[in-house]
Amino acid sequence: MEKTAVTSRDFILKGDICYSKTKDALDCREKGVLVCTAGKSAGVFSEIPAQYKHLPVADFTGKLILPGLADLHIHAPQFALRSLGMDLELLDWLATFVFPEEAKYHDLDYSSQAYTALIEDLKKGPNTRSCLFATVHTPATLKLMDLLEASGLVCMVGKVNMDRHCPDSIREKDAETSAAATQEWLEQCGSYKNIKPILTPRFIPSCTDDLMRRLSALQKRYHLPLQSHLSENQREIAWVQELCPKSACYGDAYSQFDLFGGEIPTIMAHCVWSEDKEIALLAKQKVYVAHCPQSNSNLSSGAAPVRRFLEAGVPVGLGSDVAGGAHTSIFRAMTDAVQVSKLRRRLIGQNDAPLSLEEVFYLGTLGGGSFFGPVGSFEAGYEFDALVLEDAGFAPPFKLSLRDRLERAVYLSDNSHIKAKYVRGIAIL
Ligand code: GUN
Ligand code: FE
């Protein structure tokens, strides 16, 4: 099988194509044609339409062609910590492993070395979009953004804000200092093509009311999206209630500073323990939940009510939450999401149906991708993020449907099966 070199953002891929149209509708096209013009999908066809006959063709006949995957929640400085401290729960793990590691990012050489290793991993993997937490350090955060820009991946990156309840080594002196550093960082991230800043108060326990008010002002001035953590762990939630006694729920603690969705594109990671009031607020404010099933298992946080989010109309995507999760691949997050949903149903005794392949594939592509705009599908007009997977090695002695091949690839594929990877129509592998 010969691969035609693709040199511009106008080309055609041929192969076996799967993508989500909605959370329930998976489109599978065997021997399909996927057209990219100016870095966007022009649609999926059975034959090359006449107006595109002049375009170069990359022939991936027999291989799977899927949208790139979106990781809505990853901690860049925690890549070096993967799999360490997994016998602890959230607050002890943060204190024992995470905060001491993040303190090392005042050192730019250390940061460069560690971030380079992360980005090598991300480039080879199936994710094309990520929302990353950095650390409180501006130079290291800009270094991460420089390295990501060079990789061709499209990402949102946040300098973290913390002015309380963490070691002095990573605590910003006060709210004013933290907000000023954030503004200084924002002034320096205007020139990236693929990397955008995202406001990142770590979580309520890390940020004083004064800091939250200042971040809210910055958010309005710079029209920034926002990412943070919500209702991950029961001890954390009780602590937030002590810190914000007037809030009706954890989400309401963000709302009080006008930092909970609505006009602001917002991601809240975890939402394991969200109850009716909080789910209604997430839905009303169109806040994205980054569901991180591996992290929620590793840190004994629990099993998030994803079925309830979907029924309530809350936008949901998947997150690796490295290093709560040990794997960056969102394929892995898809299978973890299925498995955790089955355990939730059995052990929590609720009637929520487990998540299906169609649903988790949607969450890891279009569900999370939509946070970045028209991303995560191959319908005409979507940005052209695509993966080509060689799945011949998984073939059984009987014929599989394309949908079944997709399911097997989601469970079994690793980076070695990725034969090509495109972001906004540019081949990056
Ligand atoms: N809550 C606040 N910070 C963190 C973090 O680094 N990881 C996770 N999983 N939860 C958090
Ligand atoms: Fe996290």
Side-chain angles (χ1 to χ4, degrees):
M1 221 163 309
E2 204 166 328
K3 175 175 153 188
T4 313
V6 173
T7 53
S8 78
R9 298 207 300 160
D10 298 275
F11 57 88
I12 289 170
L13 305 185
K14 279 182 164 180
D16 298 325
I17 302 167
C18 300
Y19 65 102
S20 296
K21 288 187 159 171
T22 68
K23 78 179 165 58
D24 305 306
L26 177 70
D27 202 275
C28 291
R29 186 85 56 116
E30 247 167 325
K31 295 190 176 32
V33 166
L34 172 60
V35 179
C36 177
T37 56
K40 298 203 163 130
S41 173
V44 174
F45 307 91
S46 302
E47 302 287 337
I48 301 178
Q51 74 265 38
Y52 301 126
K53 289 256 194 260
H54 62 289
L55 294 183
V57 176
D59 189 351
F60 292 114
T61 298
K63 297 185 176 55
L64 287 174
I65 302 178
L66 314 175
L69 312 186
D71 185 349
L72 285 194
H73 187 67
I74 174 166
H75 295 264
Q78 296 175 22
F79 185 70
L81 283 183
R82 285 165 305 149
S83 82
L84 302 181
M86 299 282 91
D87 48 351
L88 298 179
E89 294 195 18
L90 176 66
L91 299 178
D92 294 329
W93 178 68
L94 289 176
T96 313
F97 285 87
V98 172
F99 291 154
E101 180 62 21
E102 292 194 9
K104 297 177 189 167
Y105 285 72
H106 75 270
D107 176 339
L108 204 49
D109 289 337
Y110 185 85
S111 312
S112 283
Q113 196 186 331
Y115 284 153
T116 298
L118 163 70
I119 291 164
E120 277 307 303
D121 178 278
L122 293 182
K123 261 190 89 160
K124 286 188 258 162
N127 310 345
T128 55
R129 309 271 169 157
S130 304
C131 290
L132 303 103
F133 279 53
T135 62
V136 291
H137 313 92
T138 299
T141 303
L142 289 167
K143 173 59 76 180
L144 173 63
M145 295 171 87
D146 292 346
L147 292 168
L148 284 167
E149 176 86 344
S151 75
L153 298 164
V154 179
C155 298
M156 296 190 197
V157 173
K159 181 202 110 50
V160 170
N161 296 97
M162 289 197 273
D163 71 337
R164 68 174 174 185
H165 298 309
C166 58
D168 289 349
S169 54
I170 45 168
R171 184 161 42 77
E172 297 173 291
K173 190 166 131 264
D174 52 27
E176 191 180 353
T177 309
S178 176
T182 303
Q183 184 163 355
E184 191 187 309
W185 162 64
L186 290 169
E187 296 292 343
Q188 292 177 74
C189 33
S191 61
Y192 298 107
K193 229 173 60 228
N194 289 339
I195 312 301
K196 296 279 173 263
I198 179 166
L199 206 57
T200 306
R202 182 176 209 114
F203 64 161
I204 292 283
S206 301
C207 301
T208 58
D209 290 2
D210 186 12
L211 176 54
M212 293 300 267
R213 270 189 285 274
R214 288 170 190 269
L215 294 181
S216 187
L218 277 179
Q219 190 285 319
K220 284 171 184 62
R221 181 155 165 210
Y222 289 88
H223 303 290
L224 294 166
L226 180 141
Q227 59 182 353
S228 195
H229 294 91
L230 182 67
S231 298
E232 176 178 1
N233 164 290
Q234 286 170 302
R235 238 180 90 202
E236 169 212 21
I237 295 166
W239 191 19
V240 169
Q241 194 59 47
E242 269 171 41
L243 293 167
C244 306
K246 290 198 205 111
S247 58
C249 58
Y250 191 159
D252 188 43
Y254 292 101
S255 291
Q256 296 188 353
F257 305 101
D258 199 15
L259 289 174
F260 201 67
E263 296 299 302
I264 316 172
T266 300
I267 298 171
M268 288 288 156
H270 306 299
C271 306
V272 171
W273 296 96
S274 296
E275 292 180 353
D276 292 354
K277 209 181 307 162
E278 191 158 272
I279 294 175
L281 196 59
L282 288 162
K284 175 165 165 274
Q285 298 296 101
K286 295 280 167 236
V287 171
Y288 278 68
V289 170
H291 175 45
C292 306
Q294 190 181 153
S295 169
N296 299 158
S297 305
N298 284 339
L299 296 175
S300 305
S301 300
V306 180
R307 171 68 58 214
R308 297 196 53 210
F309 296 145
L310 295 176
E311 283 170 356
V314 176
V316 184
L318 296 176
S320 64
D321 193 33
V322 161
H327 298 88
T328 52
S329 168
I330 291 299
F331 282 135
R332 174 66 192 252
M334 291 178 190
T335 61
D336 289 334
V338 170
Q339 290 163 6
V340 164
S341 73
K342 291 173 180 170
L343 292 174
R344 178 179 166 86
R345 175 184 168 87
R346 280 285 165 264
L347 300 177
I348 301 181
Q350 297 203 353
N351 295 324
D352 301 349
L355 298 175
S356 65
L357 170 77
E358 282 75 4
E359 287 171 325
V360 295
F361 184 69
Y362 162 85
L363 295 179
T365 55
L366 183 53
S370 64
F371 191 73
F372 291 84
V375 174
S377 180
F378 290 143
E379 295 215 80
Y382 274 73
E383 295 188 23
F384 194 95
D385 287 17
L387 302 173
V388 178
L389 291 187
E390 173 60 88
D391 69 329
F394 307 143
F398 51 87
K399 181 164 164 55
L400 285 180
S401 68
L402 185 45
R403 187 258 181 220
D404 291 348
R405 279 173 60 199
L406 173 67
E407 185 167 29
R408 184 163 276 201
V410 166
Y411 276 79
L412 295 183
S413 67
D414 59 39
N415 293 352
S416 71
H417 300 103
I418 303 175
K419 297 302 163 196
K421 176 171 173 177
Y422 301 86
V423 186
R424 288 183 168 161
I426 295 172
I428 70 160
L429 263 190

